[in-house]
Amino acid sequence: MTKKKQPEPAETGATEHQLWEVFTQPGGGKPFEHAGSVHAPDAEMALQNARDVYARRGEAVNLWVVPSSAIVASTPEDIGPFFDPGNDKPYRHPQFYKVPRGIKV
Amino acid sequence: MLGHRLSEWCGHGPILEEDIALTNIALDLVGEANLLLGRAATAENAGRDADALAFLRDVREYRNALIVELPKGDFGFTVARQFLFSVYALHQWEALSTSADDDLAGIAAKALKETRYHVRHSAEWLVRLGDGTDESHGRVQDALDELWRFTGELFLTDDVEQALVKQKLAVDSSSLFDAWKRDVTDVISRATLRMPGDVYMQRGGRSGMHTEHLGVMLAEMQVLPRTYPGAKW
Amino acid sequence: MTPTPAATEDPKRLAEFEARIARGDTIEPKDWMPEKYRRQLIRMMSQHAHSEVVGMLPEGNWITRAPSLRRKMSLLAKVQDEAGHGLYIYCGAETLGVDRHELVSQLLNGTAKYASIFNYPTLTWADIGAIGWLVDGAAIVNQTMLAKASYGPYARAMVRICKEENFHKRQGFEIMSLLSAGTPEQRAMAQDALDRWWWPSLMMFGPHDKDSPNSGELLRWGIKQKGNDELRQRFVNLTVGQAKAINLTIPDPKLRHDAETGNWAFGEIDWDEFWRVVKGDGQCNRERLTARRKAHADGAWVREAAEAHAAKRARLESVA
């Protein structure tokens, strides 16, 4: 991250600014979803750029921007141990429970 | 006019994100112009539409503040002009949103929302450029100093306007000055910039006395409707 | 060029990877992938992104001369979308561990390619119609296929782009149909634009598959789903009827309907011209790059100022 470092005069304007991840919330109380990313020098500009890039067709009523470097992600090696345990607990799904035919629950 | 000037940045901005942002503002402004000219055409009731008013009037028939017809300059000039003009527009739209003319009030309400963002965007840039590097500070200060003599005209009023004010249709432009000055002073000081001193204020937009730049701009803008009279596009 | 991937990659992982592709799995940024796959993707995505950004120039050329307020707004919105699309794809490419600054530098120093079509000049207003109709039309055929690409971020960017790009083609076709039904001068303008843009549009799909150095690998790894020739044929089939509907003539005497295949057979592309423009001798190659370089250089002090300001603020906050 170049945030703390003064730009070297030799590489004038070499930066494209840091990367931010953009999350948009569509109307109707839906959850936020990842829309993409933007480059911006700081948070306010990241927010404005996100608005202009990812909400120019009225796609969002709310926006989050997060420095990409702050995202913590699961790794591909996690695919097995991290997520499989969620696959064998059918009692978490409504279909697990039997209801007599013809009755709506 | 300003929308046209901003649109000249499309494809040439300092960073891709900013191309998109400036184009958004340009789109808002051209949209507002379209609505206003449409309303004017209805009021005129002489068979002209918004396009005829935009594309078939010559320099002396154009009525616009001189500040918006100046060439786009560098990015600092574009930001400074956008800021000075948008703050003015914000107060103008706010006042017009209670106009007795329902159409105009409607246009104002829509434009007011758009303009709030224009002010925010240009003010944030002004602060970054003013309080950025020595070079950016110098460039944007020069732009402010150069633009200042075109700001006085925004707050002039005349008999036509006063007549409309009496019918509660329009706003007395001179009444907007204090709020504008306050907002502008605030951001300029946050940007560590200096308020330009008192200078002779240029005027002429209301009477069609323009800068030389307008003719060149109209020649470009109007070339197709002028070359092929009566054609539909 | 580097040796074949099999020589350098772990054969077991490569086999697993290819099995995933065959199953139709989506590859995500942190998944294992062959180095060659990563490089092909970066090359293709950055070319695509550069094309969107350079593509702003020929059309941007007419924004200030658009003949009505409505046309001015739709053209502005369209060129703005090109910037957006470039941005989406750059972001997609960045998930592969390459910085946008690096990609942009490759464009500016001339080592990266972009779509040759944008090295042709826009001479009249009808060119704006022809670009929307033909160039965006061809791009949509290509991008609809890429929306199913095996690399997740690329495919997702394409889905978004395809959704947005529909209006581009329609606004272009609307311009052409109005011109064609307009005054004799307007009609001539429309036909002239079709004459000039038809063949370059067909060239957009690239060389014949047999002459395309990358095609095989791109297909095998699911970056592309269809070959260049098949997509080109699909585009011709789509477009012939549209040209007829607005009374314009496609400039190809060999164009005829083949009842057996159901396809429209067409004449051979001038491949000499194709390679000449690819290699840098189109009319506008130099101009386009000069314009991008100028925008980048003129913007340097702005980007520096923004960084300097952010650094000042960060220092203030860390003191507070």
Side-chain angles (χ1 to χ4, degrees), chain C residues 8-272:
Chain C
T8 50
E9 301 288 1
D10 174 357
K12 186 161 162 277
R13 297 196 100 169
L14 186 63
E16 276 170 15
F17 174 83
E18 294 196 334
R20 289 191 68 191
I21 299 275
R23 274 202 306 276
D25 273 11
T26 311
I27 307 299
E28 293 299 331
K30 292 187 171 181
D31 294 355
W32 185 88
M33 61 188 83
E35 194 45 38
K36 195 79 189 292
Y37 176 83
R38 181 190 305 273
R39 271 192 281 119
Q40 284 281 23
L41 271 173
I42 292 177
R43 183 188 63 83
M44 198 161 144
M45 292 173 79
S46 62
Q47 269 185 26
H48 195 160
H50 299 329
S51 303
E52 298 280 356
V53 173
V54 176
M56 296 169 73
L57 299 171
E59 288 179 284
N61 175 31
W62 278 89
I63 290 174
T64 52
R65 289 178 288 169
S68 71
L69 292 165
R70 179 168 178 263
R71 291 287 172 218
K72 196 187 276 294
M73 289 189 275
S74 28
L75 185 57
L76 257 172
K78 176 176 190 285
V79 180
Q80 181 192 42
D81 273 351
E82 318 285 359
H85 298 171
L87 200 149
Y88 303 160
I89 308 169
Y90 278 130
C91 289
E94 282 179 287
T95 62
L96 292 160
V98 52
D99 192 57
R100 187 167 93 192
H101 170 64
E102 198 179 322
L103 298 176
V104 171
S105 308
Q106 288 167 1
L107 171 68
L108 299 182
N109 68 25
T111 52
K113 297 245 178 307
Y114 57 87
S116 278
I117 190 92
F118 301 120
N119 293 320
Y120 290 84
T122 48
L123 301 181
T124 71
W125 172 250
D127 291 17
I128 299 307
I131 289 183
W133 174 33
L134 300 174
V135 177
D136 288 273
I140 290 172
V141 168
N142 216 351
Q143 288 166 353
T144 308
M145 178 260 314
L146 289 171
K148 299 184 197 101
S150 58
Y151 188 58
Y154 198 17
R156 288 192 287 273
M158 283 304 129
V159 170
R160 204 181 180 96
I161 290 174
C162 285
K163 241 192 270 173
E164 299 186 351
E165 225 158 58
N166 257 324
F167 108 76
H168 297 184
K169 184 175 172 185
R170 288 177 71 109
Q171 67 94 32
F173 190 70
E174 188 188 86
I175 290 174
M176 289 302 262
S177 62
L178 264 174
L179 290 177
S180 177
T183 66
E185 289 108 322
Q186 284 180 306
R187 219 190 115 61
M189 204 187 270
Q191 182 62 52
D192 169 61
L194 173 57
D195 290 347
R196 282 182 291 113
W197 290 93
W198 173 253
W199 290 106
S201 301
L202 294 192
M203 293 178 199
M204 282 175 71
F205 294 93
H208 287 309
D209 293 310
K210 62 178 169 52
D211 304 323
S212 172
N214 297 308
S215 255
E217 211 161 52
L218 294 175
L219 283 167
R220 186 158 53 94
W221 283 339
I223 299 177
K224 289 169 85 168
Q225 310 278 332
K226 308 261 188 247
N228 296 349
D229 292 314
E230 184 180 343
L231 291 171
R232 186 165 18 237
Q233 183 66 60
R234 186 182 290 180
F235 171 72
V236 173
N237 290 351
L238 275 172
T239 311
V240 171
Q242 294 165 355
K244 278 211 173 104
I246 55 173
N247 294 314
L248 293 177
T249 312
I250 288 178
D252 180 358
K254 291 197 176 138
L255 194 72
R256 59 171 185 82
H257 193 254
D258 183 338
E260 208 171 299
T261 59
N263 286 332
W264 282 89
F266 52 94
E268 194 57 44
I269 287 170
D270 179 348
W271 294 108
D272 291 339

Side-chain angles (χ1 to χ4, degrees), chain B residues 54-155:
Chain B
F55 292 91
L56 299 174
R57 281 184 303 161
D58 206 346
V59 172
R60 298 283 277 121
E61 300 160 277
Y62 250 83
R63 297 288 178 270
N64 60 268
L66 304 180
I67 193 170
V68 299
E69 70 195 37
L70 303 174
K72 75 183 199 306
D74 67 4
F75 186 71
F77 189 89
T78 288
V79 162
R81 173 190 22 211
Q82 191 64 48
F83 172 69
L84 295 173
F85 180 78
S86 294
V87 174
Y88 155 78
L90 182 78
H91 294 295
Q92 177 75 263
W93 289 127
E94 209 159 39
L96 283 176
S97 63
T98 58
S99 165
D101 182 289
D102 288 345
D103 291 339
L104 189 54
I107 297 170
K110 173 182 179 294
L112 181 59
K113 283 190 232 160
E114 296 169 343
T115 309
R116 276 190 214 290
Y117 182 72
H118 305 171
V119 170
R120 175 170 167 181
H121 189 73
S122 56
E124 290 294 339
W125 264 118
L126 197 74
V127 169
R128 277 157 188 73
L129 297 181
D131 189 16
T133 61
D134 289 347
E135 180 183 8
S136 69
H137 182 90
R139 280 181 184 247
V140 77
Q141 184 68 57
D142 287 350
L144 273 183
D145 293 344
E146 171 60 26
L147 282 159
W148 203 248
R149 63 198 173 104
F150 295 101
T151 57
E153 185 190 41
L154 298 171
F155 307 99

